[in-house]
Amino acid sequence: MPLTGKEVAEHNSSKSCWVIVHGKAYDVTEFLPEHPGGTKIILKYAGKDATEEFEPIHPPDTLDKYLDQSKHLGDVDMETVKHEEKVETPEEKERQDRIARMPGLEQCYNLMDFEAVAKNVMKRTAWAYYSSGADDEITLRENHAAFHKIWFRPRILVDVEKVDFSTTMLGTKVDIPFYVTATALGKLGNPEGEVVLTRAARKHKVIQMIPTLASCSFDEIMDAAEGDQVQWMQLYVNKDRSITKKIVQHAESRGCKGLFLTVDAPQLGRREKDMRTKFTEAGSNIQSSSQTDNSQGAARAISSFIDPGLSWKDIPWFQSITKMPIILKGVQRVEDVIRAIESGVQGVVLSNHGGRQLDFARSGIEVLAEVMPVLRERGWENRIEIFVDGGVRRATDIIKALCLGAKGVGIGRPFLYAMSAYGQPGVERAMQLLKDEMEMNMRLIGCSSIDQLNPTLVDTRGLSAHYTGVPTDNLGLSVYDPLITPKEKAKL
Amino acid sequence: MPLTGKEVAEHNSSKSCWVIVHGKAYDVTEFLPEHPGGTKIILKYAGKDATEEFEPIHPPDTLDKYLDQSKHLGDVDMETVKHEEKVETPEEKERQDRIARMPGLEQCYNLMDFEAVAKNVMKRTAWAYYSSGADDEITLRENHAAFHKIWFRPRILVDVEKVDFSTTMLGTKVDIPFYVTATALGKLGNPEGEVVLTRAARKHKVIQMIPTLASCSFDEIMDAAEGDQVQWMQLYVNKDRSITKKIVQHAESRGCKGLFLTVDAPQLGRREKDMRTKFTEAGSNIQSSSQTDNSQGAARAISSFIDPGLSWKDIPWFQSITKMPIILKGVQRVEDVIRAIESGVQGVVLSNHGGRQLDFARSGIEVLAEVMPVLRERGWENRIEIFVDGGVRRATDIIKALCLGAKGVGIGRPFLYAMSAYGQPGVERAMQLLKDEMEMNMRLIGCSSIDQLNPTLVDTRGLSAHYTGVPTDNLGLSVYDPLITPKEKAKL
Amino acid sequence: MPLTGKEVAEHNSSKSCWVIVHGKAYDVTEFLPEHPGGTKIILKYAGKDATEEFEPIHPPDTLDKYLDQSKHLGDVDMETVKHEEKVETPEEKERQDRIARMPGLEQCYNLMDFEAVAKNVMKRTAWAYYSSGADDEITLRENHAAFHKIWFRPRILVDVEKVDFSTTMLGTKVDIPFYVTATALGKLGNPEGEVVLTRAARKHKVIQMIPTLASCSFDEIMDAAEGDQVQWMQLYVNKDRSITKKIVQHAESRGCKGLFLTVDAPQLGRREKDMRTKFTEAGSNIQSSSQTDNSQGAARAISSFIDPGLSWKDIPWFQSITKMPIILKGVQRVEDVIRAIESGVQGVVLSNHGGRQLDFARSGIEVLAEVMPVLRERGWENRIEIFVDGGVRRATDIIKALCLGAKGVGIGRPFLYAMSAYGQPGVERAMQLLKDEMEMNMRLIGCSSIDQLNPTLVDTRGLSAHYTGVPTDNLGLSVYDPLITPKEKAKL
Amino acid sequence: MPLTGKEVAEHNSSKSCWVIVHGKAYDVTEFLPEHPGGTKIILKYAGKDATEEFEPIHPPDTLDKYLDQSKHLGDVDMETVKHEEKVETPEEKERQDRIARMPGLEQCYNLMDFEAVAKNVMKRTAWAYYSSGADDEITLRENHAAFHKIWFRPRILVDVEKVDFSTTMLGTKVDIPFYVTATALGKLGNPEGEVVLTRAARKHKVIQMIPTLASCSFDEIMDAAEGDQVQWMQLYVNKDRSITKKIVQHAESRGCKGLFLTVDAPQLGRREKDMRTKFTEAGSNIQSSSQTDNSQGAARAISSFIDPGLSWKDIPWFQSITKMPIILKGVQRVEDVIRAIESGVQGVVLSNHGGRQLDFARSGIEVLAEVMPVLRERGWENRIEIFVDGGVRRATDIIKALCLGAKGVGIGRPFLYAMSAYGQPGVERAMQLLKDEMEMNMRLIGCSSIDQLNPTLVDTRGLSAHYTGVPTDNLGLSVYDPLITPKEKAKL
């Protein structure tokens, strides 16, 4: 016989704390101190239905994995659970109005457009989680801005009637040289989560990288793939290597074609926009004296398992447990690319984690421009596949990266925004727009296939130094009190 | 006996589609799928008078050329055609008000002023077509901005009482070293179209380049010339070379003095400002699910004949069919200038198509600064005439180009804007202003004739690198959500 | 017996044109076509009292010099002249209100402050004449901006208890290393004109350079000097050298200590802000079809006598007619400084005429940084006195120029603004503020006397190239139509 | 028997001037002309209670030190002193309202946030004193901006589980490599003054530098320290060396561990924001003709004793009177660092006095980048401890300085702002935020201890030249009148 709402409601304190998730009750009393997101957030739902809060930031197999079966209390008769009437805030009302007046999908002509729409229609907290970056968000913005410092030296009078921009990444043939890179918590943007991206990737024949911190479970995302669709796996390495081993070997057995070890996140970043938004949302009922942990954004809450001790010494162990190609994601200087090659890994992603980790880290594209001449001098340019992510918004950005020597680029947030605003059709249109731009711009640069892209087609003098284009110091400017000239006397 | 409106109106579907143009009916049913601008736009006028829409984007000989005589149905009694009452939109009303309050022509003191007025008084779609550029319009703006990175090193105490800035281009003596470069669809700005430019060019003794995609027919524009007035021809090369041959030889026989082969447009560009404007104009009656081709601007519609296979191998063929000097328009790097010289053509235009094709292509003036030192090192600087277009707005811009080694510069949009705002008097005043500025600035730089202009008169250190002045990333900035400092509590 | 207003009023056309100036009538009928400012402006006052318009732009001896005595018709009984009731425009009313609420002089803490106040309280046309520059006013702004690219490398632990910043220019001892440079039409800003500057210069023991185009006569300005006060003369060279010779020798006989030949103005500049303001003032009663010469600012009107044929060949002649030191004002590149030294002149002013002549001319301070290393290499640095003007607003600017090798700097507009806003006390305070800043900053840079200033005290790497800081392209930006993201549907 | 208010009130003129401070009366008649802050400000309180004005800018022992005991008139019966009813101005009312709505301390996520809050809640004059800088405040802003020109080259795959960022400065172990640098007049921000900083520094185990111009007395600040807490002393050298000697030896005897001689302030700076604010506050009752000394900010008033004659020759004398390490604070070029080493001092602070002295002085961090390569070339990098202050706002700024070779950084204003807004908890949170950022960013840069920080971890190409990022010329821009395009005719 199912539990009643009333029974559950009695366990509403840290002494005895039950919560309902997807129609089932769980006793989390003992788990409270271990919860990575903190005790407080669970206690808010003690004795109540926590599904809506739980859903986007926990894969569905979370409770099975982390909560002992003895604490699974079974079904609840949801008819008996008191439904909390949600009062629609004025902000939410305005958001619903904006949703009602959303521009049509066909009005989105480029990837920025999806971001503009998503900013308007997403929940503020979800937007803040996706869009925020580290500290002053200098690197966040530099990532795209860096592409604007690279100019073209196009060839003319080349036969470009037929343009083929398909290529190969880690042995997989793809339609266009980008992949969907790993981004966390897809259900914040769309109730279905990452599988939406899987389906769109299949349509356009591009690779999806599955994130460790997905809202969907790993298997759900694999299951959403069809035919010979290829997926890669992004991995945050767990302090407990036996868990890591299980995850890696499971992925390989499921058919994953690449293991991307994240190496730029020994600790997940402080993102003040995210932190500030959460505080604002929590609103006035938080007493200023309380020692809340709300200074920790969602990312920190869900990532405490990550091993800050991961080091070069661990690489051979990974090579011993899997035959998947191993790629280091988050390499940021040429010295480490060389070391990666010497370690025998198959690839690196020049990346700063989308500007979410170390502020003032340089853009991946700038690091690429530093890396390739050194590799070419050694004759090592083909010993490894080099990917770049961060700030890619236009096909010209992709072309620039490939001219400089990248094998392909990762694109993350733009697809999240397209998904959050328009669901799968949005993601598909975003990908189609990139293909349209790609065909056009391959022609205009005078190349009919990917292998013709080369460094003489770009002028990178503006990139090779940070002589200009430091993104605006918004906080600094907002607190600076500019000098003024003499004031007139007041009007009488 | 002429057709009646009623008879025509019955053929209002894709099954039988008649349209009226300039008082005559045409059966375009079979032509529908071939229409470069798409089926949809014709069907909008099925059974109706399409003249107003047809006019600016089709030269008058279009129907004769492309529609079999059997489909020419003859005169229509226009009295019987139902006149569609046009409802004046609030936007149009505001525009008419702005036209009524236009500044006087004598208030325009520089070329920017015409653009400011034109923006206010032109139809939004026409403005969008003329003013738009590729992608983020970075190159569009860089074109003018690049001139701002070049500074003067003027000479003093030179006798400049008499200043003569006439010069010679491809053997033709001109009053001042610019020509009216080719721009499409002149009737969008003025009902008479390109002949307005012809007449103004005659007044000021400068050369006009006739565009392939003119609203007027080629012969109309030739016919508008008087006396020994010189015109050149800009050519988009047709996939069907027999058509191209006919066009070229016709031009030569009519007395054209130069053949400018466009080499930077194997496919015409995506211009999002243009696309977005068209969508907005079309308004709410477009169903969001429809598979419209409105993502294609006017340029794409009228340019599907262009051959993306055009290559260096075609140059000898052109040389075999005409004796006109051949000039490659759209060269963008020194390697291709060298190849052009080796191919035996008479000139190149360093151009990026007014920023309408490949975004992040460098400005013509920057390419010029790259090209000339290489040519001089080889002693090749006189083997070819080098022109530059893009962004020229001031006589100082012309002087800068000539100091760096150009023979002359092309100016396009400013004359379109002057024509759109004020007709022929506008274009003439624009040209006169350039002459006034030219006289002044030749004096101030200390040169009394064109041949005295030389590289020591300019400081190009700022130009030789893209270290600064990347035009603003408007889309990127509009979607970026700046960090804020703590918010005060709400007022009670 | 004096003439009556009625008698004068009858001569109100181009056939017979009399005007009244300072209570006397003049017959200017035959002079009309010769008037440098054009016929139209005189005809506006035909038969009327033109004093107010005449006053600021003609030195008092103008009519004696240029109009034959036979055309001097004698006194007019001003009681009988119809007084034109001036209607106070709303703009003038607002200006009077701003004057009533002017900040106190003691609220001006730097030279910019005077400009801010002057902008508010001056007549629009006067402000436009003083503040305008050539073309896009890039050079106008670069002049000051260039100083912002120079940074200090101050010394510490130097005894600076006593700081002496007096120095010597062309043999004259001055309190501080600046002089009041020549600026035209002082009565536009103050009814007394340039003599106000003379008196303030005396108070602060600095040199005044007397402008050719002063509102006061040359002798009035000389007469306003007291004791051993030193003045220099700025000269626009007349096409008629006999006039020039008379002027120069008169100046020498009156005790002028330096002859500054303007060499950057063979023709006076087009200043669009000035032109546009005049048009606006003239207002709606000008028919748009009229061929007005309002495109010529005040400067052009009064400067048609200037000889554009002046050249290096004339220098020996000047040396033959005067013993005053000769200084070339407006030198703009190192080649011409070398030639000046070879010509045996005593000095040069590195200047671009306050940004009023050739736009994109480099700042004087940048030219100085180019010049001095070349001179030092030749050991020529002491063969000539080098001055700089343009953009000086702070004592730190003066110090920068002197560190780089200048003997002194010229300051013009700031004193005009101080005079226009506050009269002589304003000019004196402006000079005192510079002295206060100078004492402070000499101490802070670690120098107790002028001769200690040297190039190691400044970091000019930012200046030596135009890599940054190109002043804003205001016209270009105002006509550019930025890209936008998709628009929401309209609210219902 | 105490004096009565009435008795004191009779001495209200320059002939006999008594004032009340903290309940005691003083006869300052003879002292008036000697008062560093001018006569006027004292006379404002003649015969009245001056405590509130006196308090923040005079240490409590001032009257004992500088006013002869014979002028100490003893207690006043404060009941009899007429209490001046203060009228709350609208500005003060608005400020009180802002204080009531202050954000909670937990909403401050970075050091900029404290500044934003402090700007809102501090008295305008206090804010102006703390926040102002020299001249155009270019250096003030450059200080922070310079850090934005330095980018990271982080290492990956380094074991950073344990991160230790403690270090040693002048032999003292500290938790984190910053110290609280000396800033004047702490009571302007908080009634308790500098001891608040002392207590917070103890909590976080960082060193406080005690300012000469503190609001608290030196001994009060020393007394506020606890246990083995270390403090340093900042010294403005008095013209009277016997006073200086007494101060230094007293500090040593009290246990001060470092003597920081200020060498960049032979005269205290003109800070126009401060000057203008004071004027505005004084308001309309100041007659414009009066010769006020309000052009001198608070700093000038309290600093007239500073010796502008201090020079390298004085260093041996300091070494003779104390065994404390001597550090020169305000060194600004490599030549002077070398001389400092040769003089045998223990350290230098590369500083420009927080941008308050010489405008266009370079940032300390830029000077550091100039200094270290020269020292390393000589092998002198360990002969001295090098500190940097100015513009530090983030842990990444600290890390950048240490990578470049600094031993530690000084932070001043941010703690003043935190104290002014939130008192001691504010300062503590500010320090904690820096520690949180420090831990995170040490991990992200791939270093687990301070000694691992090195120059290969930063990219300083953007810093080594002033090619970009000159802070905005606010005054210049505010007076510049931008060009406009033609105006439409007026609406009818």
Side-chain angles (χ1 to χ4, degrees), chain B residues 27-220:
Chain B
D27 179 352
V28 295
T29 316
E30 290 172 18
F31 177 70
L32 278 176
E34 298 167 31
H35 184 233
T39 297
K40 189 184 161 92
I41 185 68
I42 299 188
L43 284 175
K44 192 172 159 195
Y45 294 94
K48 301 179 188 170
D49 186 350
T51 308
E52 196 176 319
E53 180 85 20
F54 176 92
E55 177 75 5
I57 61 176
H58 301 81
D61 51 2
T62 307
L63 287 161
D64 286 337
K65 272 189 179 159
Y66 297 104
L67 192 69
D68 192 86
Q69 287 303 321
S70 68
K71 308 299 185 188
H72 293 229
L73 308 175
D75 291 338
V76 180
D77 177 357
M78 294 306 288
E79 297 292 314
T80 66
V81 175
K82 194 174 154 199
H83 186 66
E84 293 204 33
E85 197 69 48
K86 267 205 213 159
V87 185
E88 197 176 50
T89 61
E91 291 73 24
E92 180 62 15
K93 210 153 173 289
E94 281 166 27
R95 187 175 80 94
Q96 291 300 339
D97 175 57
R98 286 195 301 269
I99 290 172
R101 295 185 296 114
M102 264 177 73
L105 174 55
E106 68 284 1
Q107 283 178 269
C108 290
Y109 296 114
N110 56 59
L111 268 53
M112 292 294 186
D113 285 355
F114 295 99
E115 187 167 348
V117 176
K119 184 161 74 166
N120 265 339
V121 304
M122 287 177 75
K123 283 199 181 165
R124 200 68 204 150
T125 43
W127 164 259
Y129 178 71
Y130 282 0
S131 70
S132 58
D135 280 10
D136 293 293
E137 302 189 340
I138 300 292
T139 288
L140 174 82
R141 289 172 281 163
E142 170 73 2
N143 279 352
H144 183 58
F147 286 102
H148 282 217
K149 301 177 198 168
I150 305 176
W151 295 74
F152 287 117
R153 305 181 72 251
R155 305 190 298 179
I156 50 160
L157 291 175
V158 174
D159 181 347
V160 288
E161 182 159 13
K162 295 204 181 68
V163 170
D164 175 10
F165 46 84
S166 68
T167 187
T168 296
M169 297 182 191
L170 299 176
T172 300
K173 185 87 188 295
V174 293
D175 270 11
I176 176 169
F178 71 77
Y179 58 88
V180 181
T181 194
T183 49
L185 304 188
K187 287 188 183 169
L188 287 176
N190 185 292
E192 291 197 81
E194 291 79 7
V195 296
V196 172
L197 301 173
T198 313
R199 293 179 203 132
R202 181 182 66 231
K203 284 265 175 81
H204 280 285
K205 212 184 162 194
V206 296
I207 298 170
Q208 177 192 28
M209 187 191 297
I210 302 175
T212 297
L213 299 177
S215 296
C216 298
S217 73
F218 177 80
D219 284 319
E220 284 176 325

Side-chain angles (χ1 to χ4, degrees), chain D residues 212-370:
Chain D
T212 297
L213 299 178
S215 296
C216 298
S217 71
F218 177 80
D219 284 317
E220 283 176 325
I221 305 173
M222 291 297 295
D223 291 344
E226 287 186 15
D228 59 354
Q229 184 175 359
V230 168
Q231 288 165 305
W232 293 335
M233 176 194 224
Q234 174 267 334
L235 187 71
Y236 286 118
V237 178
N238 201 301
K239 289 170 188 164
D240 181 342
R241 287 293 192 281
S242 66
I243 294 176
T244 291
K245 184 174 178 182
K246 208 167 75 180
I247 292 171
V248 169
Q249 295 185 336
H250 176 67
E252 186 168 2
S253 73
R254 289 290 324 252
C256 246
K257 298 297 184 205
L259 177 65
F260 285 69
L261 296 180
T262 292
V263 296
D264 57 8
Q267 174 179 349
L268 282 197
R270 292 177 88 250
R271 294 151 200 171
E272 294 170 12
K273 188 185 285 169
D274 193 22
M275 289 150 74
R276 199 178 301 285
T277 305
K278 286 199 190 332
F279 185 89
T280 308
E281 294 291 316
S284 53
N285 60 344
I286 289 182
Q287 292 175 293
S288 62
S289 62
S290 70
Q291 291 298 326
T292 72
D293 57 353
N294 55 41
S295 69
Q296 309 300 333
R300 290 293 292 280
I302 59 180
S303 68
S304 51
F305 66 86
I306 299 176
D307 183 9
L310 184 72
S311 81
W312 288 105
K313 286 181 289 192
D314 294 295
I315 302 299
W317 179 77
F318 282 100
Q319 290 166 323
S320 76
I321 64 166
T322 183
K323 291 200 156 53
M324 287 188 285
I326 294 174
I327 299 92
L328 305 183
K329 178 168 177 290
V331 180
Q332 301 189 54
R333 56 189 216 156
V334 64
E335 295 91 326
D336 286 339
V337 174
I338 288 172
R339 189 153 179 189
I341 295 174
E342 291 170 342
S343 303
V345 300
Q346 280 71 28
V348 295
V349 185
L350 305 178
S351 166
N352 51 41
H353 213 108
R356 293 166 83 85
Q357 291 291 103
L358 177 64
D359 206 16
F360 288 97
R362 301 175 300 167
S363 66
I365 190 76
E366 180 181 348
V367 176
L368 179 65
E370 170 184 287

Side-chain angles (χ1 to χ4, degrees), chain B residues 185-456:
Chain B
L185 304 188
K187 287 188 183 169
L188 287 176
N190 185 292
E192 291 197 81
E194 291 79 7
V195 296
V196 172
L197 301 173
T198 313
R199 293 179 203 132
R202 181 182 66 231
K203 284 265 175 81
H204 280 285
K205 212 184 162 194
V206 296
I207 298 170
Q208 177 192 28
M209 187 191 297
I210 302 175
T212 297
L213 299 177
S215 296
C216 298
S217 73
F218 177 80
D219 284 319
E220 284 176 325
I221 304 173
M222 291 299 293
D223 292 345
E226 286 186 13
D228 58 355
Q229 185 176 358
V230 168
Q231 290 165 303
W232 293 335
M233 177 194 224
Q234 175 267 334
L235 187 70
Y236 286 118
V237 178
N238 200 301
K239 288 168 188 162
D240 181 342
R241 287 294 192 281
S242 67
I243 293 176
T244 291
K245 185 175 180 183
K246 210 168 73 182
I247 291 171
V248 168
Q249 295 186 336
H250 176 68
E252 184 167 3
S253 73
R254 288 289 326 251
C256 247
K257 298 298 185 207
L259 178 64
F260 286 69
L261 295 180
T262 293
V263 295
D264 57 7
Q267 174 179 349
L268 282 197
R270 293 179 87 250
R271 294 151 200 172
E272 295 170 11
K273 189 185 284 171
D274 193 21
M275 289 150 73
R276 197 177 302 284
T277 305
K278 285 197 194 330
F279 185 89
T280 307
E281 294 291 314
S284 53
N285 59 344
I286 289 183
Q287 293 175 292
S288 62
S289 62
S290 71
Q291 291 298 323
T292 72
D293 58 353
N294 55 40
S295 69
Q296 311 299 332
R300 290 292 292 279
I302 58 180
S303 69
S304 52
F305 65 87
I306 299 177
D307 183 9
L310 184 72
S311 80
W312 288 105
K313 286 181 289 192
D314 295 294
I315 302 299
W317 178 79
F318 282 99
Q319 291 166 325
S320 77
I321 63 166
T322 184
K323 292 201 156 51
M324 288 188 285
I326 294 174
I327 299 91
L328 305 182
K329 179 169 177 289
V331 180
Q332 301 189 54
R333 56 188 215 157
V334 65
E335 295 91 326
D336 285 340
V337 174
I338 288 172
R339 191 153 178 189
I341 295 174
E342 291 170 342
S343 303
V345 299
Q346 281 70 30
V348 294
V349 186
L350 305 177
S351 166
N352 52 40
H353 213 108
R356 292 167 84 84
Q357 291 291 103
L358 178 64
D359 206 17
F360 289 97
R362 299 175 303 166
S363 66
I365 189 76
E366 180 181 348
V367 177
L368 179 66
E370 170 185 286
V371 164
M372 294 310 298
V374 177
L375 295 197
R376 284 193 200 100
E377 203 177 305
R378 296 180 175 223
W380 287 17
E381 66 270 30
N382 295 320
R383 289 185 51 182
I384 200 168
E385 295 199 6
I386 298 188
F387 302 93
V388 167
D389 73 30
V392 175
R393 296 292 181 272
R394 291 275 186 193
T396 51
D397 298 338
I398 302 175
I399 292 175
K400 286 169 182 178
L402 268 71
C403 283
L404 286 173
K407 192 75 184 170
V409 305
I411 301 181
R413 283 190 186 92
F415 298 136
L416 283 185
Y417 295 135
M419 178 181 84
S420 302
Y422 297 101
Q424 187 177 336
V427 183
E428 289 180 22
R429 182 169 169 95
M431 292 175 175
Q432 185 58 48
L433 285 170
L434 284 174
K435 285 184 169 174
D436 291 352
E437 288 186 9
M438 195 74 185
E439 181 182 13
M440 164 78 70
N441 288 311
M442 286 292 286
R443 280 195 168 131
L444 295 180
I445 201 174
C447 293
S448 58
S449 64
I450 291 296
D451 62 291
Q452 295 173 24
L453 298 173
N454 71 75
T456 78

Side-chain angles (χ1 to χ4, degrees), chain A residues 136 267-268 272 276 279 308-309 312 333 335-336 357-358 360 366 370 464 467 479-481 484, chain D residues 107 110 113 119 124 127 137 152-153 156-157 159-160 273 276 394 440 443-444 456 461 468:
Chain A
D136 293 293
Q267 174 179 349
L268 282 198
E272 294 170 12
R276 198 177 301 284
F279 185 89
W312 288 105
R333 57 189 216 156
E335 295 91 326
D336 286 339
Q357 291 291 103
L358 178 64
F360 288 97
E366 180 180 347
E370 170 185 285
S464 62
Y467 285 166
V479 299
Y480 177 64
D481 193 15
I484 55 169
Chain D
Q107 282 178 268
N110 56 59
D113 286 355
K119 185 160 73 166
R124 201 66 205 150
W127 164 259
E137 301 189 342
F152 286 116
R153 304 181 73 251
I156 50 161
L157 290 174
D159 180 348
V160 288
K273 188 185 285 169
R276 199 178 301 285
R394 290 275 188 193
M440 164 78 69
R443 280 195 170 131
L444 295 181
T456 78
R461 287 172 297 170
T468 191

Side-chain angles (χ1 to χ4, degrees), chain A residues 85-334:
Chain A
E85 197 69 47
K86 268 207 211 156
V87 186
E88 197 176 50
T89 63
E91 290 73 25
E92 179 61 16
K93 208 150 174 291
E94 281 167 26
R95 187 175 79 94
Q96 291 300 339
D97 175 57
R98 286 195 302 270
I99 290 173
R101 295 184 298 112
M102 264 177 72
L105 174 56
E106 69 284 0
Q107 282 178 268
C108 290
Y109 296 114
N110 55 59
L111 267 53
M112 291 295 187
D113 286 355
F114 295 100
E115 187 167 347
V117 176
K119 185 161 73 166
N120 265 339
V121 303
M122 288 178 74
K123 283 198 182 166
R124 200 68 204 147
T125 43
W127 165 259
Y129 178 71
Y130 282 1
S131 69
S132 57
D135 280 11
D136 293 293
E137 302 189 343
I138 300 292
T139 288
L140 174 82
R141 290 172 282 162
E142 170 73 4
N143 279 351
H144 183 57
F147 286 101
H148 283 217
K149 300 177 199 170
I150 305 176
W151 294 74
F152 286 116
R153 305 181 73 251
R155 305 189 299 178
I156 50 160
L157 290 175
V158 174
D159 181 347
V160 288
E161 181 158 12
K162 294 204 180 69
V163 169
D164 175 9
F165 45 84
S166 68
T167 188
T168 296
M169 295 182 192
L170 299 177
T172 300
K173 185 86 186 299
V174 293
D175 270 11
I176 177 169
F178 71 77
Y179 58 88
V180 181
T181 194
T183 49
L185 305 188
K187 288 188 184 170
L188 287 176
N190 185 293
E192 290 197 82
E194 291 78 8
V195 296
V196 172
L197 302 173
T198 312
R199 293 180 202 129
R202 181 182 66 231
K203 284 264 176 80
H204 281 286
K205 210 181 164 197
V206 295
I207 298 170
Q208 177 192 27
M209 187 191 299
I210 302 175
T212 298
L213 298 178
S215 296
C216 297
S217 73
F218 177 80
D219 283 319
E220 282 176 326
I221 304 174
M222 291 299 292
D223 292 345
E226 286 187 14
D228 60 354
Q229 184 175 358
V230 168
Q231 290 165 304
W232 293 335
M233 176 194 224
Q234 175 266 334
L235 187 70
Y236 286 118
V237 178
N238 200 302
K239 288 169 188 162
D240 180 342
R241 287 294 190 282
S242 66
I243 293 176
T244 291
K245 184 174 180 183
K246 209 167 76 182
I247 292 171
V248 169
Q249 295 185 336
H250 176 68
E252 185 167 4
S253 73
R254 288 290 323 253
C256 247
K257 298 297 184 205
L259 177 65
F260 286 68
L261 295 180
T262 293
V263 296
D264 57 7
Q267 174 179 349
L268 282 198
R270 293 178 87 250
R271 294 150 200 173
E272 294 170 12
K273 190 185 285 170
D274 193 22
M275 290 150 73
R276 198 177 301 284
T277 306
K278 286 198 191 331
F279 185 89
T280 308
E281 294 291 314
S284 53
N285 60 345
I286 288 182
Q287 292 176 294
S288 63
S289 62
S290 70
Q291 291 298 325
T292 73
D293 59 351
N294 55 40
S295 69
Q296 309 300 333
R300 290 293 291 280
I302 59 181
S303 68
S304 51
F305 66 88
I306 299 176
D307 184 8
L310 184 72
S311 81
W312 288 105
K313 286 180 287 191
D314 294 295
I315 302 298
W317 178 78
F318 281 100
Q319 291 167 323
S320 77
I321 63 165
T322 183
K323 290 202 156 50
M324 288 188 286
I326 294 173
I327 299 93
L328 305 183
K329 180 171 177 288
V331 180
Q332 301 190 56
R333 57 189 216 156
V334 65

